[in-house]
Amino acid sequence: MAINNSEYFNPEIETMSREEIKKLQLERLQKTVRHCMNSPFYKKRFEEAGLKPEDIKTLDDVRKIPFTTKQDLRDTYPFGLASVPLSECVRLHSSSGTTGNPTVILHTQKDLDEWANAVARCLWMVGLRPDDVFQNSSGYGMFTGGLGFQYGAERLGMLTVPAAAGNSLRQIKFIKDFGTTAIHAIPSYLTRLHEVMEQEGVDPRKDTKLKVFAIGAEPHTEEQRKRIEDMFGVKAYNSFGMSEMCGPGVAFECKEQNGLHFWEDYYIVEIVDPETLEPVPDGQIGELVLTTLNREAMPLLRYRTRDLTRVLPGDCPCGRKHIRLDRMKGRSDDMMVLRGVNIFPIQIEKILLNYPELSSNYLITLTTDNDNDNMTVDVELAKEGLTDNQLKDLEKAVCRALKDEILLTPRIHLLVAGTLPQSEGKAVRVKDLRKVYQ
Ligand code: ADP
Ligand code: ZN
């Protein structure tokens, strides 16, 4: 491989002007739409909508195309959305099914190559180079965070450590013995890893070479990122992806840490009002809708992700003109409606992390008592040795702050570290026991 001394993994694409990006997007959109006619699903969809591939003349014409939903993926399970014969596919992944039945995504070899390029581009953007050692602590197998980062990190040329999820003692041994400089992890796992490091008397600043974390796969607040950075003395960059869009590599923060750059040579990004499905003005929160631009096996047109976010204004000092979106606020399906008030778990996390005495391990339980919705927040303490009075004061203060945010008074339980159930994958933040009564 030729030596790349540039700040960019793919300088030609990453430094494109807005006009060049849009030109490339239109070419790829038209090609993708034509290709989609190989899929009986899209052929029918277009016919029903009275739409022909030739009708897509400008980038704005993307709005003529009907949306694709997770339900469409489920209805056509497992292979009904393929745009190539199965014999041309070399791998499938399925989503972790956080919110229902799994869905299947097929890949050709070219799809996998492009995916690896996208992930490599993200990792390069945050300063990783072939002499770095990359440890991947996410689950392998169907979960795309495993193989997705594996191939991306290899494409960049790093020594990769496919440690997979869990077993913190072994993770720490690898970090020390192999001189790991970068880790990909789910943010909730890094808090656990740090706990174990403390127990083992390992100081990440002195005893390891860690310098970069890629954190993602689940929503997290700016506060949680800062916590992680302070705990380890390591820069943590937000990584966004989803299995329907390949997996990781869809969007990543650059060194400026000011939002997620979505790679617009791979995706058309739209933000729509989830009710009216009309585009929202830039800066307003809405649902992220993505169209794949270079997928062969299973292109998806106007896929409704359910993720809520907004376009960030202004140019990024890093020089990339690819659109920047705010960190995800959550998914529309994560939204809890309590006594008529809409609440996202991330709002609770933001408040909890204002208190240095509290850790980022928390669980929200919703119950119905006497026909009233109630919320209980169990949260682990980050510090030991607080007196009973201090604990009581803390509980009261947290309760008040939460009430101001969510407009109802929750019950707060302060727990010793390690009490809440641990999940190997994405953290489970909400237990809705109200459903039992419905
Ligand atoms: P599932 O849909 O079953 O959870 P995926 O692994 O494909 O399976 O998860 C993709 C989803 O994870 C995204 O749609 C988004 O809701 C969430 N997600 C991924 N990365 C991030 C991130 N950096 N910030 C917030 N949410 C994220
Ligand atoms: Zn940037």
Side-chain angles (χ1 to χ4, degrees):
M1 217 199 286
I3 293 182
N4 181 354
N5 290 320
S6 152
E7 272 300 299
Y8 309 103
F9 184 73
N10 185 335
E12 193 196 326
I13 294 281
E14 288 174 69
T15 59
M16 275 183 165
S17 66
R18 288 300 308 163
E19 291 67 36
E20 286 168 325
I21 291 175
K22 287 190 170 161
K23 187 166 168 274
L24 182 66
Q25 282 191 315
L26 178 59
E27 273 164 31
R28 290 191 171 180
L29 174 65
Q30 289 171 326
K31 194 173 162 207
T32 298
V33 166
R34 282 195 303 271
H35 180 55
C36 278
M37 294 306 110
N38 294 319
S39 129
F41 171 87
Y42 277 123
K43 200 162 185 291
K44 190 159 162 252
R45 267 285 156 94
F46 269 58
E47 274 164 18
E48 281 166 2
L51 196 64
K52 293 200 183 69
E54 312 76 89
D55 296 334
I56 308 299
K57 296 192 175 75
T58 68
L59 216 42
D60 282 342
D61 287 339
V62 73
R63 288 205 231 125
K64 294 180 178 162
I65 302 173
F67 292 96
T68 307
T69 63
K70 198 160 195 140
Q71 194 56 44
D72 292 326
L73 293 185
R74 291 192 178 126
D75 292 346
T76 55
Y77 176 90
F79 305 138
L81 262 160
S83 288
V84 299
L86 268 193
S87 57
E88 287 179 29
C89 299
V90 295
R91 199 197 296 165
L92 66 77
H93 273 282
S94 86
S95 87
S96 52
T98 313
T99 53
N101 287 328
T103 48
V104 167
I105 301 294
L106 292 159
H107 302 275
T108 63
Q109 186 56 54
K110 180 172 172 287
D111 290 336
L112 294 182
D113 283 345
E114 292 286 4
W115 180 15
N117 284 335
V119 174
R121 193 195 285 178
C122 296
L123 295 173
W124 190 278
M125 177 161 72
V126 296
L128 296 177
R129 295 294 179 269
D131 55 359
D132 278 296
V133 179
F134 184 86
Q135 187 162 325
N136 190 5
S137 77
S138 67
Y140 277 65
M142 287 302 203
F143 180 57
T144 54
L147 291 176
F149 269 105
Q150 181 67 32
Y151 283 91
E154 287 175 8
R155 176 64 48 90
L156 194 155
M158 289 186 280
L159 174 61
T160 58
V161 184
N167 201 338
S168 300
L169 287 176
R170 201 178 58 147
Q171 301 276 2
I172 295 168
K173 183 169 169 50
F174 289 167
I175 292 169
K176 284 168 42 184
D177 294 354
F178 303 150
T180 300
T181 56
I183 295 185
H184 165 243
I186 287 177
S188 51
Y189 177 65
L190 286 174
T191 314
R192 293 284 180 200
L193 186 68
H194 190 261
E195 268 166 34
V196 182
M197 280 192 172
E198 268 190 331
Q199 283 158 19
E200 296 299 305
V202 174
D203 177 347
R205 286 180 167 79
K206 290 202 196 103
D207 305 327
T208 77
K209 293 187 178 155
L210 290 172
K211 61 174 193 193
V212 165
F213 287 147
I215 54 171
E218 61 186 15
H220 54 285
T221 51
E222 188 59 38
E223 285 75 6
Q224 190 175 6
R225 181 243 291 280
K226 290 217 176 78
R227 279 266 179 118
I228 290 171
E229 292 193 329
D230 291 347
M231 278 190 296
F232 289 89
V234 171
K235 282 269 173 211
Y237 297 97
N238 192 357
S239 152
F240 176 84
M242 73 182 64
S243 40
E244 295 91 321
M245 296 294 130
C246 285
V250 178
F252 221 82
E253 275 179 335
C254 68
K255 284 187 178 169
E256 304 291 332
Q257 294 186 308
N258 58 359
L260 294 153
H261 280 287
F262 274 68
W263 297 123
E264 290 182 282
D265 53 325
Y266 286 139
Y267 305 99
I268 292 178
V269 174
E270 294 173 82
I271 311 279
V272 303
D273 180 319
E275 302 288 325
T276 64
L277 300 179
E278 289 300 320
V280 301
D282 275 4
Q284 202 167 306
I285 289 179
E287 180 178 337
L288 172 67
V289 171
L290 295 172
T291 297
T292 65
L293 288 179
N294 67 344
R295 270 232 304 251
E296 278 183 344
M298 207 171 140
L300 293 177
L301 303 176
R302 302 195 86 199
Y303 183 70
R304 290 188 59 184
T305 67
R306 305 269 167 199
D307 288 312
L308 299 172
T309 180
R310 65 191 176 107
V311 174
L312 292 176
D315 278 344
C316 186
C318 79
R320 294 173 184 84
K321 301 282 188 298
H322 293 252
I323 195 169
R324 268 178 317 120
L325 302 188
D326 205 354
R327 63 175 59 249
M328 300 295 140
K329 194 176 146 69
R331 283 213 273 226
S332 50
D333 11 13
D334 291 340
M335 192 175 78
M336 310 173 266
V337 184
L338 252 91
R339 303 189 198 173
V341 180
N342 300 348
I343 305 164
F344 284 93
I346 223 79
Q347 286 173 270
I348 312 279
E349 176 175 310
K350 210 171 144 56
I351 302 279
L352 296 178
L353 290 188
N354 283 334
Y355 297 87
E357 300 92 335
L358 301 180
S359 90
S360 55
N361 299 324
Y362 67 96
L363 177 67
I364 300 163
T365 308
L366 307 178
T367 49
T368 312
D369 311 307
N370 305 326
D371 288 337
N372 264 330
D373 287 341
N374 281 309
M375 179 190 285
T376 305
V377 180
D378 293 292
V379 53
E380 292 183 1
L381 289 160
K383 286 186 184 154
E384 287 173 26
L386 296 179
T387 65
D388 282 353
N389 276 341
Q390 284 171 325
L391 287 173
K392 254 187 224 147
D393 288 346
L394 178 61
E395 208 176 280
K396 267 193 216 146
V398 175
C399 197
R400 231 178 289 129
L402 280 174
K403 190 182 172 204
D404 285 345
E405 174 77 21
I406 63 175
L407 309 177
L408 63 93
T409 313
R411 296 186 198 110
I412 310 290
H413 296 150
L414 303 178
L415 308 171
V416 182
T419 323
L420 285 174
Q422 237 177 297
S423 79
E424 276 224 335
K426 304 181 186 217
V428 178
R429 297 300 193 194
V430 182
K431 234 164 69 182
D432 193 348
L433 302 178
R434 295 176 304 169
K435 290 184 177 138
V436 175
Y437 298 90
Q438 280 168 5

